[in-house]
Amino acid sequence: QVQLVESGGGSVQAGGSLRLSCAVAGIYYSRYCMAWFRQAAGKEREGVASIDKFSDVTKYTNSVKGRFTISQDKVKNTLYLQMNSLTVEDSGMYYCAADTSLWTCPPQVVTELNYGMRYWGKGTLVTISP
């Protein structure tokens, strides 16, 4: 049974930092796509960052480039999202997702709204205050 469990969300002031973690269990493939998504209240879900499990190739949506870093610990089977220079617009529910039908993450993961992935976590809330 695949489980993705996010943690690390919270409330910080604008300009601050947070690191999200996603513990991945039940996936035994060496090549698949992992990503972080977010959804703000009243808005559609957007892909924030993706990483190829095998090659560590990363992609980011334009609004977070230079501020967010996606990474993984292959030993701990954990996905991370380091978020710096946070703004109010970064607030929302953040979801970890994985898709074993994708050997690599296509650009659409971070360019299309509501991109579908096979497995999802329940999310962790990020609130940025002015």
Side-chain angles (χ1 to χ4, degrees):
Q1 182 181 357
V2 176
Q3 284 190 318
L4 305 175
V5 180
E6 303 95 334
S7 61
S11 299
V12 297
Q13 287 191 321
S17 298
L18 281 173
R19 188 175 84 152
L20 305 183
S21 299
C22 173
V24 180
I27 298 180
Y28 304 104
Y29 296 99
S30 60
R31 297 175 185 264
Y32 59 93
C33 174
M34 296 188 290
W36 287 98
F37 292 79
R38 67 185 179 189
Q39 187 164 19
K43 294 189 176 181
E44 296 181 271
R45 188 179 65 233
E46 67 170 340
V48 174
S50 69
I51 186 167
D52 296 345
K53 172 70 174 179
F54 181 78
S55 66
D56 286 313
V57 171
T58 60
K59 299 180 180 69
Y60 298 90
T61 191
N62 287 337
S63 63
V64 308
K65 285 180 181 176
R67 300 189 299 122
F68 289 14
T69 302
I70 187 171
S71 63
Q72 61 174 327
D73 185 322
K74 293 182 180 181
V75 174
K76 294 182 179 179
N77 239 0
T78 301
L79 182 68
Y80 301 100
L81 184 68
Q82 177 67 44
M83 306 187 294
N84 299 327
S85 302
L86 286 161
T87 72
V88 173
E89 288 71 32
D90 294 317
S91 295
M93 189 68 80
Y94 281 70
Y95 299 93
C96 168
D99 197 322
T100 54
S101 69
L102 301 171
W103 277 28
T104 61
C105 297
Q108 290 85 347
V109 172
V110 296
T111 61
E112 284 185 4
L113 294 175
N114 300 316
Y115 189 86
M117 300 280 279
R118 181 164 290 183
Y119 304 107
W120 293 87
K122 294 183 178 180
T124 186
L125 183 63
V126 171
T127 304
I128 312 301
S129 56

